[in-house]
Amino acid sequence: NAGVTQTPKFRILKIGQSMTLQCTQDMNHNYMYWYRQDPGMGLKLIYYSVGAGITDKGEVPNGYNVSRSTTEDFPLRLELAAPSQTSVYFCASSDPWDRGRYEQYFGPGTRLTVT
Amino acid sequence: AQKVTQAQTEISVVEKEDVTLDCVYETRDTTYYLFWYKQPPSGELVFLIRRNSFDEQNEISGRYSWNFQKSTSSFNFTITASQVVDSAVYFCALSEAGGNNDMRFGAGTRLTVKP
């Protein structure tokens, strides 16, 4: 299993541009998440999904959108990028119904710079 | 509301010293899960341990041990005989069973182990 994969690894955007961060997992997990990690800080939840077709906002959703059309994929869309969105973005998945494995498995991250 | 506090921003030790990383949490749920993740300089997030709120047994895994005390809402992490490879940022996280399995992370503790 590849686990959770994210593309791209790095990206530089200009202010006002848009982009989609891709996230795919091959563990058949129902739950997926997007976090951002600002320098020297912990992770903050942007959006999450508990299954295909179901998404909800986390702690810091402004400026982002998500969709979940399949179990495997959970893309994060940035519209009108702003310097405040410069961060490292992590995608994660979990399946708490799998023998109580509440831990989340993280992708390698996408480092995004908006200038 | 759930909250995780890691009061130690940075710790520096010399190799072979023991070191304890503190984690204090807040939650209103009676069933919850606590986690420790390691983020080495390469940036990925590595799952270390999960502890359920109804299991207060301490755990030891090699040089790592965890002390869970509900009475003080703490879940501390000790590394015995530290090594340079232990240098990383360590995050404590909390997930409430009544929620959507989303995690609230502490701000992290940066551990530097010097040779």
Side-chain angles (χ1 to χ4, degrees):
Chain A
N1 287 352
V4 180
T5 57
Q6 291 182 238
T7 56
K9 285 191 170 60
F10 304 93
R11 183 71 185 267
I12 298 174
L13 280 183
K14 294 188 176 177
I15 294 172
Q17 287 185 322
S18 300
M19 76 164 293
T20 298
L21 281 65
Q22 301 293 344
C23 175
T24 300
Q25 53 93 8
D26 62 359
M27 296 174 282
N28 203 32
H29 285 171
N30 286 317
Y31 289 51
M32 295 187 74
Y33 312 83
W34 274 105
Y35 294 89
R36 60 177 286 172
Q37 183 182 24
D38 298 330
M41 304 292 287
L43 280 72
K44 292 190 176 180
L45 183 65
I46 305 171
Y47 270 95
Y48 66 94
S49 168
V50 299
I54 306 170
T55 63
D56 208 346
K57 296 176 181 178
E59 189 182 358
V60 290
N62 291 345
Y64 307 94
N65 277 300
V66 293
S67 59
R68 184 98 181 269
S69 57
T70 66
T71 300
E72 296 77 19
D73 300 307
F74 190 39
L76 177 71
R77 178 83 177 161
L78 278 73
E79 305 281 2
L80 299 174
S84 61
Q85 293 178 303
T86 294
S87 191
V88 179
Y89 292 83
F90 288 98
C91 179
S93 72
S94 71
D95 189 354
W97 310 116
D98 177 17
R99 292 167 289 172
R101 290 184 180 274
Y102 283 80
E103 58 268 27
Q104 294 181 13
Y105 296 88
F106 286 83
T110 294
R111 186 175 296 275
L112 176 67
T113 302
V114 182
T115 61
Chain B
Q2 51 186 353
K3 182 180 178 182
V4 176
T5 302
Q6 295 179 256
Q8 304 151 308
T9 305
E10 294 191 32
I11 300 176
S12 181
V13 299
V14 177
E15 209 170 15
K16 297 185 183 176
E17 285 185 14
D18 299 345
V19 58
T20 295
L21 310 181
D22 298 334
C23 174
V24 174
Y25 62 92
E26 296 177 27
T27 178
R28 293 179 184 166
D29 268 20
T30 55
T31 302
Y32 51 89
Y33 304 87
L34 295 162
F35 307 83
W36 277 96
Y37 282 84
K38 175 181 179 180
Q39 188 174 42
S42 51
E44 72 272 24
L45 284 153
V46 179
F47 166 72
L48 295 177
I49 190 172
R50 177 191 78 241
R51 176 59 69 209
N52 306 330
S53 57
F54 44 86
D55 180 4
E56 284 195 74
Q57 277 194 336
N58 292 327
E59 182 153 341
I60 298 175
S61 176
R63 297 184 296 107
Y64 295 172
S65 61
W66 291 268
N67 182 0
F68 176 31
Q69 293 197 332
K70 287 178 78 169
S71 60
T72 56
S73 297
S74 65
F75 186 43
N76 296 337
F77 173 28
T78 297
I79 301 175
T80 303
S82 60
Q83 299 176 1
V84 172
V85 294
D86 295 327
S87 296
V89 180
Y90 291 86
F91 291 99
C92 180
L94 166 71
S95 179
E96 295 173 335
N100 289 300
N101 192 218
D102 59 297
M103 284 187 186
R104 188 60 56 95
F105 282 80
T109 297
R110 180 178 298 279
L111 174 65
T112 302
V113 181
K114 299 177 180 176

mmCIF file of all heavy atoms in Angstrom, chain A residues 49-94:
data_model
loop_
_atom_site.group_PDB
_atom_site.id
_atom_site.type_symbol
_atom_site.label_atom_id
_atom_site.label_comp_id
_atom_site.label_asym_id
_atom_site.label_seq_id
_atom_site.Cartn_x
_atom_site.Cartn_y
_atom_site.Cartn_z
ATOM 1 N N SER A 49 -13.866 14.977 5.830
ATOM 2 C CA SER A 49 -14.937 14.232 5.157
ATOM 3 C C SER A 49 -15.092 12.880 5.841
ATOM 4 O O SER A 49 -14.091 12.221 6.143
ATOM 5 C CB SER A 49 -14.583 14.028 3.680
ATOM 6 O OG SER A 49 -15.452 13.084 3.077
ATOM 7 N N VAL A 50 -16.313 12.484 6.086
ATOM 8 C CA VAL A 50 -16.558 11.189 6.736
ATOM 9 C C VAL A 50 -16.997 10.131 5.732
ATOM 10 O O VAL A 50 -17.325 9.008 6.119
ATOM 11 C CB VAL A 50 -17.587 11.317 7.875
ATOM 12 C CG1 VAL A 50 -17.067 12.280 8.931
ATOM 13 C CG2 VAL A 50 -18.937 11.734 7.358
ATOM 14 N N GLY A 51 -16.996 10.490 4.462
ATOM 15 C CA GLY A 51 -17.327 9.521 3.426
ATOM 16 C C GLY A 51 -17.574 10.244 2.113
ATOM 17 O O GLY A 51 -17.701 11.483 2.091
ATOM 18 N N ALA A 52 -17.626 9.481 1.038
ATOM 19 C CA ALA A 52 -17.850 10.067 -0.276
ATOM 20 C C ALA A 52 -19.143 10.884 -0.270
ATOM 21 O O ALA A 52 -20.183 10.429 0.228
ATOM 22 C CB ALA A 52 -17.914 8.983 -1.333
ATOM 23 N N GLY A 53 -19.052 12.109 -0.780
ATOM 24 C CA GLY A 53 -20.210 12.986 -0.859
ATOM 25 C C GLY A 53 -20.494 13.798 0.390
ATOM 26 O O GLY A 53 -21.412 14.621 0.400
ATOM 27 N N ILE A 54 -19.699 13.595 1.450
ATOM 28 C CA ILE A 54 -19.942 14.293 2.715
ATOM 29 C C ILE A 54 -18.680 15.045 3.125
ATOM 30 O O ILE A 54 -17.623 14.438 3.311
ATOM 31 C CB ILE A 54 -20.310 13.301 3.837
ATOM 32 C CG1 ILE A 54 -21.483 12.424 3.425
ATOM 33 C CG2 ILE A 54 -20.627 14.054 5.127
ATOM 34 C CD1 ILE A 54 -21.742 11.274 4.365
ATOM 35 N N THR A 55 -18.792 16.363 3.249
ATOM 36 C CA THR A 55 -17.661 17.165 3.709
ATOM 37 C C THR A 55 -18.155 18.174 4.735
ATOM 38 O O THR A 55 -19.348 18.517 4.768
ATOM 39 C CB THR A 55 -16.979 17.915 2.552
ATOM 40 O OG1 THR A 55 -17.914 18.835 1.969
ATOM 41 C CG2 THR A 55 -16.474 16.957 1.491
ATOM 42 N N ASP A 56 -17.225 18.660 5.548
ATOM 43 C CA ASP A 56 -17.598 19.665 6.549
ATOM 44 C C ASP A 56 -16.394 20.504 6.898
ATOM 45 O O ASP A 56 -15.238 20.090 6.704
ATOM 46 C CB ASP A 56 -18.175 19.013 7.793
ATOM 47 C CG ASP A 56 -19.162 19.913 8.515
ATOM 48 O OD1 ASP A 56 -19.196 21.143 8.212
ATOM 49 O OD2 ASP A 56 -19.898 19.429 9.390
ATOM 50 N N LYS A 57 -16.684 21.706 7.418
ATOM 51 C CA LYS A 57 -15.625 22.642 7.753
ATOM 52 C C LYS A 57 -14.937 22.268 9.049
ATOM 53 O O LYS A 57 -15.551 21.737 9.972
ATOM 54 C CB LYS A 57 -16.216 24.055 7.887
ATOM 55 C CG LYS A 57 -16.806 24.600 6.613
ATOM 56 C CD LYS A 57 -17.449 25.968 6.844
ATOM 57 C CE LYS A 57 -18.071 26.494 5.560
ATOM 58 N NZ LYS A 57 -18.741 27.794 5.769
ATOM 59 N N GLY A 58 -13.637 22.587 9.082
ATOM 60 C CA GLY A 58 -12.875 22.434 10.309
ATOM 61 C C GLY A 58 -12.676 23.776 10.969
ATOM 62 O O GLY A 58 -13.543 24.649 10.903
ATOM 63 N N GLU A 59 -11.514 23.957 11.553
ATOM 64 C CA GLU A 59 -11.230 25.160 12.333
ATOM 65 C C GLU A 59 -10.924 26.380 11.459
ATOM 66 O O GLU A 59 -11.268 27.502 11.810
ATOM 67 C CB GLU A 59 -10.035 24.862 13.250
ATOM 68 C CG GLU A 59 -9.710 25.901 14.285
ATOM 69 C CD GLU A 59 -8.486 25.508 15.106
ATOM 70 O OE1 GLU A 59 -7.932 24.414 14.881
ATOM 71 O OE2 GLU A 59 -8.089 26.312 15.955
ATOM 72 N N VAL A 60 -10.272 26.176 10.297
ATOM 73 C CA VAL A 60 -9.821 27.296 9.470
ATOM 74 C C VAL A 60 -10.203 27.092 8.004
ATOM 75 O O VAL A 60 -9.343 26.966 7.134
ATOM 76 C CB VAL A 60 -8.297 27.508 9.616
ATOM 77 C CG1 VAL A 60 -7.953 28.052 10.987
ATOM 78 C CG2 VAL A 60 -7.530 26.204 9.364
ATOM 79 N N PRO A 61 -11.489 27.092 7.653
ATOM 80 C CA PRO A 61 -11.901 26.748 6.290
ATOM 81 C C PRO A 61 -11.879 27.903 5.274
ATOM 82 O O PRO A 61 -11.958 27.661 4.069
ATOM 83 C CB PRO A 61 -13.345 26.283 6.495
ATOM 84 C CG PRO A 61 -13.821 27.129 7.643
ATOM 85 C CD PRO A 61 -12.613 27.274 8.554
ATOM 86 N N ASN A 62 -11.777 29.147 5.760
ATOM 87 C CA ASN A 62 -11.923 30.285 4.843
ATOM 88 C C ASN A 62 -10.832 30.299 3.786
ATOM 89 O O ASN A 62 -9.647 30.185 4.088
ATOM 90 C CB ASN A 62 -11.913 31.595 5.627
ATOM 91 C CG ASN A 62 -13.166 31.750 6.474
ATOM 92 O OD1 ASN A 62 -14.153 31.051 6.279
ATOM 93 N ND2 ASN A 62 -13.109 32.657 7.442
ATOM 94 N N GLY A 63 -11.263 30.453 2.525
ATOM 95 C CA GLY A 63 -10.327 30.521 1.413
ATOM 96 C C GLY A 63 -10.083 29.175 0.745
ATOM 97 O O GLY A 63 -9.283 29.095 -0.198
ATOM 98 N N TYR A 64 -10.778 28.152 1.226
ATOM 99 C CA TYR A 64 -10.580 26.791 0.707
ATOM 100 C C TYR A 64 -11.930 26.150 0.379
ATOM 101 O O TYR A 64 -12.958 26.512 0.936
ATOM 102 C CB TYR A 64 -9.880 25.910 1.741
ATOM 103 C CG TYR A 64 -8.603 26.455 2.284
ATOM 104 C CD1 TYR A 64 -8.582 27.193 3.469
ATOM 105 C CD2 TYR A 64 -7.393 26.247 1.621
ATOM 106 C CE1 TYR A 64 -7.399 27.709 3.979
ATOM 107 C CE2 TYR A 64 -6.207 26.753 2.132
ATOM 108 C CZ TYR A 64 -6.222 27.484 3.313
ATOM 109 O OH TYR A 64 -5.045 27.989 3.813
ATOM 110 N N ASN A 65 -11.856 25.161 -0.542
ATOM 111 C CA ASN A 65 -13.006 24.328 -0.815
ATOM 112 C C ASN A 65 -12.545 22.902 -1.020
ATOM 113 O O ASN A 65 -11.402 22.652 -1.423
ATOM 114 C CB ASN A 65 -13.749 24.805 -2.076
ATOM 115 C CG ASN A 65 -14.697 25.943 -1.766
ATOM 116 O OD1 ASN A 65 -15.611 25.789 -0.956
ATOM 117 N ND2 ASN A 65 -14.470 27.085 -2.386
ATOM 118 N N VAL A 66 -13.448 21.954 -0.748
ATOM 119 C CA VAL A 66 -13.120 20.544 -0.937
ATOM 120 C C VAL A 66 -14.287 19.850 -1.622
ATOM 121 O O VAL A 66 -15.405 20.367 -1.684
ATOM 122 C CB VAL A 66 -12.824 19.824 0.392
ATOM 123 C CG1 VAL A 66 -11.546 20.348 1.028
ATOM 124 C CG2 VAL A 66 -14.005 19.933 1.351
ATOM 125 N N SER A 67 -13.981 18.658 -2.119
ATOM 126 C CA SER A 67 -15.008 17.781 -2.658
ATOM 127 C C SER A 67 -14.581 16.352 -2.359
ATOM 128 O O SER A 67 -13.398 16.081 -2.133
ATOM 129 C CB SER A 67 -15.178 18.000 -4.165
ATOM 130 O OG SER A 67 -13.953 17.746 -4.835
ATOM 131 N N ARG A 68 -15.522 15.452 -2.336
ATOM 132 C CA ARG A 68 -15.194 14.033 -2.083
ATOM 133 C C ARG A 68 -16.144 13.195 -2.923
ATOM 134 O O ARG A 68 -17.208 12.781 -2.479
ATOM 135 C CB ARG A 68 -15.370 13.711 -0.593
ATOM 136 C CG ARG A 68 -14.955 12.276 -0.248
ATOM 137 C CD ARG A 68 -13.581 12.204 0.303
ATOM 138 N NE ARG A 68 -13.170 10.841 0.604
ATOM 139 C CZ ARG A 68 -13.341 10.256 1.795
ATOM 140 N NH1 ARG A 68 -13.952 10.901 2.769
ATOM 141 N NH2 ARG A 68 -12.910 9.026 1.982
ATOM 142 N N SER A 69 -15.730 12.952 -4.149
ATOM 143 C CA SER A 69 -16.572 12.172 -5.055
ATOM 144 C C SER A 69 -16.293 10.677 -4.955
ATOM 145 O O SER A 69 -17.136 9.855 -5.342
ATOM 146 C CB SER A 69 -16.406 12.654 -6.493
ATOM 147 O OG SER A 69 -15.044 12.587 -6.868
ATOM 148 N N THR A 70 -15.121 10.309 -4.454
ATOM 149 C CA THR A 70 -14.778 8.902 -4.292
ATOM 150 C C THR A 70 -14.198 8.688 -2.898
ATOM 151 O O THR A 70 -13.799 9.645 -2.232
ATOM 152 C CB THR A 70 -13.735 8.431 -5.313
ATOM 153 O OG1 THR A 70 -12.488 9.101 -5.052
ATOM 154 C CG2 THR A 70 -14.174 8.737 -6.740
ATOM 155 N N THR A 71 -14.121 7.446 -2.470
ATOM 156 C CA THR A 71 -13.513 7.149 -1.178
ATOM 157 C C THR A 71 -12.034 7.503 -1.177
ATOM 158 O O THR A 71 -11.486 7.943 -0.174
ATOM 159 C CB THR A 71 -13.682 5.660 -0.833
ATOM 160 O OG1 THR A 71 -15.068 5.352 -0.770
ATOM 161 C CG2 THR A 71 -13.029 5.307 0.496
ATOM 162 N N GLU A 72 -11.371 7.327 -2.320
ATOM 163 C CA GLU A 72 -9.920 7.453 -2.376
ATOM 164 C C GLU A 72 -9.417 8.890 -2.424
ATOM 165 O O GLU A 72 -8.349 9.190 -1.936
ATOM 166 C CB GLU A 72 -9.380 6.729 -3.620
ATOM 167 C CG GLU A 72 -9.596 5.225 -3.641
ATOM 168 C CD GLU A 72 -11.011 4.833 -4.003
ATOM 169 O OE1 GLU A 72 -11.752 5.664 -4.592
ATOM 170 O OE2 GLU A 72 -11.404 3.693 -3.680
ATOM 171 N N ASP A 73 -10.170 9.798 -3.026
ATOM 172 C CA ASP A 73 -9.640 11.123 -3.340
ATOM 173 C C ASP A 73 -10.321 12.227 -2.542
ATOM 174 O O ASP A 73 -11.549 12.227 -2.373
ATOM 175 C CB ASP A 73 -9.816 11.414 -4.839
ATOM 176 C CG ASP A 73 -9.095 10.392 -5.697
ATOM 177 O OD1 ASP A 73 -7.892 10.200 -5.470
ATOM 178 O OD2 ASP A 73 -9.748 9.797 -6.570
ATOM 179 N N PHE A 74 -9.516 13.190 -2.128
ATOM 180 C CA PHE A 74 -10.040 14.309 -1.341
ATOM 181 C C PHE A 74 -9.240 15.553 -1.708
ATOM 182 O O PHE A 74 -8.352 15.995 -0.972
ATOM 183 C CB PHE A 74 -9.918 13.983 0.149
ATOM 184 C CG PHE A 74 -10.638 14.939 1.058
ATOM 185 C CD1 PHE A 74 -11.876 15.468 0.745
ATOM 186 C CD2 PHE A 74 -10.070 15.302 2.282
ATOM 187 C CE1 PHE A 74 -12.546 16.325 1.600
ATOM 188 C CE2 PHE A 74 -10.734 16.164 3.151
ATOM 189 C CZ PHE A 74 -11.969 16.680 2.801
ATOM 190 N N PRO A 75 -9.528 16.176 -2.851
ATOM 191 C CA PRO A 75 -8.761 17.353 -3.272
ATOM 192 C C PRO A 75 -9.144 18.613 -2.507
ATOM 193 O O PRO A 75 -10.297 18.795 -2.113
ATOM 194 C CB PRO A 75 -9.133 17.479 -4.756
ATOM 195 C CG PRO A 75 -10.476 16.825 -4.873
ATOM 196 C CD PRO A 75 -10.505 15.731 -3.851
ATOM 197 N N LEU A 76 -8.164 19.472 -2.323
ATOM 198 C CA LEU A 76 -8.352 20.765 -1.645
ATOM 199 C C LEU A 76 -8.122 21.870 -2.663
ATOM 200 O O LEU A 76 -7.073 21.938 -3.290
ATOM 201 C CB LEU A 76 -7.354 20.905 -0.491
ATOM 202 C CG LEU A 76 -7.387 22.234 0.273
ATOM 203 C CD1 LEU A 76 -8.650 22.342 1.129
ATOM 204 C CD2 LEU A 76 -6.149 22.380 1.159
ATOM 205 N N ARG A 77 -9.086 22.742 -2.796
ATOM 206 C CA ARG A 77 -9.036 23.819 -3.781
ATOM 207 C C ARG A 77 -8.764 25.137 -3.080
ATOM 208 O O ARG A 77 -9.443 25.481 -2.106
ATOM 209 C CB ARG A 77 -10.363 23.884 -4.533
ATOM 210 C CG ARG A 77 -10.463 24.990 -5.553
ATOM 211 C CD ARG A 77 -9.831 24.593 -6.854
ATOM 212 N NE ARG A 77 -9.991 25.648 -7.860
ATOM 213 C CZ ARG A 77 -9.249 25.731 -8.950
ATOM 214 N NH1 ARG A 77 -8.307 24.840 -9.195
ATOM 215 N NH2 ARG A 77 -9.460 26.697 -9.827
ATOM 216 N N LEU A 78 -7.763 25.875 -3.579
ATOM 217 C CA LEU A 78 -7.496 27.241 -3.123
ATOM 218 C C LEU A 78 -7.945 28.201 -4.220
ATOM 219 O O LEU A 78 -7.476 28.117 -5.351
ATOM 220 C CB LEU A 78 -6.013 27.475 -2.867
ATOM 221 C CG LEU A 78 -5.423 27.027 -1.543
ATOM 222 C CD1 LEU A 78 -5.307 25.513 -1.492
ATOM 223 C CD2 LEU A 78 -4.066 27.663 -1.319
ATOM 224 N N GLU A 79 -8.851 29.069 -3.887
ATOM 225 C CA GLU A 79 -9.297 30.082 -4.817
ATOM 226 C C GLU A 79 -8.692 31.417 -4.394
ATOM 227 O O GLU A 79 -8.682 31.738 -3.212
ATOM 228 C CB GLU A 79 -10.827 30.203 -4.789
ATOM 229 C CG GLU A 79 -11.571 28.911 -5.038
ATOM 230 C CD GLU A 79 -11.644 28.528 -6.502
ATOM 231 O OE1 GLU A 79 -11.078 29.252 -7.342
ATOM 232 O OE2 GLU A 79 -12.273 27.488 -6.800
ATOM 233 N N LEU A 80 -8.195 32.181 -5.349
ATOM 234 C CA LEU A 80 -7.668 33.518 -5.049
ATOM 235 C C LEU A 80 -6.630 33.466 -3.923
ATOM 236 O O LEU A 80 -6.841 33.973 -2.820
ATOM 237 C CB LEU A 80 -8.809 34.470 -4.661
ATOM 238 C CG LEU A 80 -9.878 34.693 -5.730
ATOM 239 C CD1 LEU A 80 -11.015 35.535 -5.181
ATOM 240 C CD2 LEU A 80 -9.252 35.364 -6.952
ATOM 241 N N ALA A 81 -5.512 32.800 -4.220
ATOM 242 C CA ALA A 81 -4.488 32.593 -3.198
ATOM 243 C C ALA A 81 -4.020 33.915 -2.581
ATOM 244 O O ALA A 81 -3.862 34.931 -3.268
ATOM 245 C CB ALA A 81 -3.295 31.863 -3.809
ATOM 246 N N ALA A 82 -3.767 33.851 -1.274
ATOM 247 C CA ALA A 82 -3.298 35.008 -0.515
ATOM 248 C C ALA A 82 -2.033 34.621 0.252
ATOM 249 O O ALA A 82 -1.845 33.439 0.568
ATOM 250 C CB ALA A 82 -4.377 35.465 0.464
ATOM 251 N N PRO A 83 -1.158 35.584 0.565
ATOM 252 C CA PRO A 83 0.071 35.265 1.315
ATOM 253 C C PRO A 83 -0.201 34.536 2.625
ATOM 254 O O PRO A 83 0.622 33.721 3.067
ATOM 255 C CB PRO A 83 0.695 36.652 1.552
ATOM 256 C CG PRO A 83 0.201 37.470 0.411
ATOM 257 C CD PRO A 83 -1.196 37.000 0.144
ATOM 258 N N SER A 84 -1.351 34.777 3.230
ATOM 259 C CA SER A 84 -1.685 34.103 4.495
ATOM 260 C C SER A 84 -1.884 32.603 4.325
ATOM 261 O O SER A 84 -1.937 31.862 5.322
ATOM 262 C CB SER A 84 -2.954 34.708 5.098
ATOM 263 O OG SER A 84 -4.042 34.541 4.204
ATOM 264 N N GLN A 85 -1.989 32.154 3.075
ATOM 265 C CA GLN A 85 -2.147 30.723 2.822
ATOM 266 C C GLN A 85 -0.812 30.015 2.595
ATOM 267 O O GLN A 85 -0.778 28.813 2.318
ATOM 268 C CB GLN A 85 -3.090 30.495 1.629
ATOM 269 C CG GLN A 85 -4.508 30.930 1.926
ATOM 270 C CD GLN A 85 -5.439 30.766 0.742
ATOM 271 O OE1 GLN A 85 -5.193 31.316 -0.335
ATOM 272 N NE2 GLN A 85 -6.517 30.026 0.930
ATOM 273 N N THR A 86 0.273 30.749 2.735
ATOM 274 C CA THR A 86 1.592 30.134 2.708
ATOM 275 C C THR A 86 1.721 29.221 3.908
ATOM 276 O O THR A 86 1.599 29.656 5.059
ATOM 277 C CB THR A 86 2.693 31.210 2.753
ATOM 278 O OG1 THR A 86 2.641 31.971 1.547
ATOM 279 C CG2 THR A 86 4.066 30.576 2.904
ATOM 280 N N SER A 87 1.935 27.926 3.643
ATOM 281 C CA SER A 87 1.904 26.947 4.726
ATOM 282 C C SER A 87 2.305 25.586 4.161
ATOM 283 O O SER A 87 2.526 25.438 2.958
ATOM 284 C CB SER A 87 0.482 26.867 5.314
ATOM 285 O OG SER A 87 0.463 26.117 6.513
ATOM 286 N N VAL A 88 2.403 24.618 5.035
ATOM 287 C CA VAL A 88 2.540 23.231 4.610
ATOM 288 C C VAL A 88 1.194 22.559 4.832
ATOM 289 O O VAL A 88 0.618 22.658 5.915
ATOM 290 C CB VAL A 88 3.636 22.484 5.392
ATOM 291 C CG1 VAL A 88 3.724 21.030 4.918
ATOM 292 C CG2 VAL A 88 4.980 23.178 5.223
ATOM 293 N N TYR A 89 0.705 21.896 3.806
ATOM 294 C CA TYR A 89 -0.614 21.276 3.848
ATOM 295 C C TYR A 89 -0.471 19.757 3.935
ATOM 296 O O TYR A 89 0.232 19.140 3.143
ATOM 297 C CB TYR A 89 -1.417 21.660 2.604
ATOM 298 C CG TYR A 89 -1.785 23.117 2.597
ATOM 299 C CD1 TYR A 89 -0.889 24.087 2.141
ATOM 300 C CD2 TYR A 89 -3.020 23.547 3.078
ATOM 301 C CE1 TYR A 89 -1.208 25.432 2.165
ATOM 302 C CE2 TYR A 89 -3.352 24.887 3.098
ATOM 303 C CZ TYR A 89 -2.443 25.823 2.644
ATOM 304 O OH TYR A 89 -2.772 27.157 2.670
ATOM 305 N N PHE A 90 -1.154 19.200 4.911
ATOM 306 C CA PHE A 90 -1.140 17.757 5.114
ATOM 307 C C PHE A 90 -2.536 17.195 4.920
ATOM 308 O O PHE A 90 -3.510 17.712 5.451
ATOM 309 C CB PHE A 90 -0.667 17.402 6.526
ATOM 310 C CG PHE A 90 0.791 17.613 6.754
ATOM 311 C CD1 PHE A 90 1.248 18.773 7.363
ATOM 312 C CD2 PHE A 90 1.718 16.655 6.374
ATOM 313 C CE1 PHE A 90 2.610 18.968 7.585
ATOM 314 C CE2 PHE A 90 3.067 16.838 6.596
ATOM 315 C CZ PHE A 90 3.518 18.002 7.198
ATOM 316 N N CYS A 91 -2.579 16.094 4.193
ATOM 317 C CA CYS A 91 -3.791 15.316 4.062
ATOM 318 C C CYS A 91 -3.652 14.087 4.956
ATOM 319 O O CYS A 91 -2.538 13.553 5.131
ATOM 320 C CB CYS A 91 -3.967 14.900 2.600
ATOM 321 S SG CYS A 91 -5.428 13.906 2.270
ATOM 322 N N ALA A 92 -4.747 13.638 5.520
ATOM 323 C CA ALA A 92 -4.699 12.463 6.403
ATOM 324 C C ALA A 92 -5.961 11.636 6.213
ATOM 325 O O ALA A 92 -6.985 12.138 5.714
ATOM 326 C CB ALA A 92 -4.564 12.888 7.866
ATOM 327 N N SER A 93 -5.888 10.387 6.610
ATOM 328 C CA SER A 93 -7.073 9.528 6.558
ATOM 329 C C SER A 93 -7.104 8.630 7.790
ATOM 330 O O SER A 93 -6.077 8.397 8.439
ATOM 331 C CB SER A 93 -7.084 8.675 5.285
ATOM 332 O OG SER A 93 -6.100 7.659 5.342
ATOM 333 N N SER A 94 -8.289 8.160 8.110
ATOM 334 C CA SER A 94 -8.438 7.241 9.236
ATOM 335 C C SER A 94 -9.708 6.421 9.054
ATOM 336 O O SER A 94 -10.570 6.751 8.236
ATOM 337 C CB SER A 94 -8.500 8.003 10.569
ATOM 338 O OG SER A 94 -9.726 8.712 10.696
#
